[in-house]
Amino acid sequence: MVDAMGHGPTQFQKPWPPDATPGILTESGRVFHRGVDCPGYRQGVENSRRLGRRIAPVEQVTSVEARRRGKGVCNKCWA
Ligand SMILES: [Zn+2]
């Protein structure tokens, strides 16, 4: 479980960008990316394709929206 500070017991949580920062997420993805050019995001798409899984559509959201939906922060995009 994640506490009020956003720190889970098992994973290090990156600091979030400011609330209004635009980015992307997918329904099945676990993290909030800056955009579809992210190598982490592209790797996920590639894995899904290779495994024959459905490619989830990209949603344009802000940082605060991603956080509210329980996503994490991509450590490649927001490092
Ligand atoms: Zn990313």
Side-chain angles (χ1 to χ4, degrees):
M1 205 44 210
V2 176
D3 67 27
M5 297 298 288
H7 295 107
T10 56
Q11 75 182 93
F12 176 75
Q13 183 79 53
K14 284 233 153 242
W16 282 84
D19 283 355
T21 305
I24 61 152
L25 57 74
T26 62
E27 188 180 290
S28 58
R30 293 173 56 201
V31 296
F32 176 60
H33 299 285
R34 195 184 290 271
V36 295
D37 290 336
C38 171
Y41 168 75
R42 300 187 78 86
Q43 185 67 53
V45 170
E46 186 54 40
N47 286 344
S48 294
R49 186 172 287 138
R50 200 165 53 229
L51 296 169
R53 292 195 188 129
R54 189 176 69 93
I55 311 286
V58 169
E59 297 177 55
Q60 305 277 344
V61 299
T62 57
S63 172
V64 69
E65 170 73 7
R67 194 166 56 211
R68 200 172 59 208
R69 290 179 48 181
K71 304 298 183 181
V73 180
C74 174
N75 58 20
K76 291 186 170 66
C77 290
W78 312 106

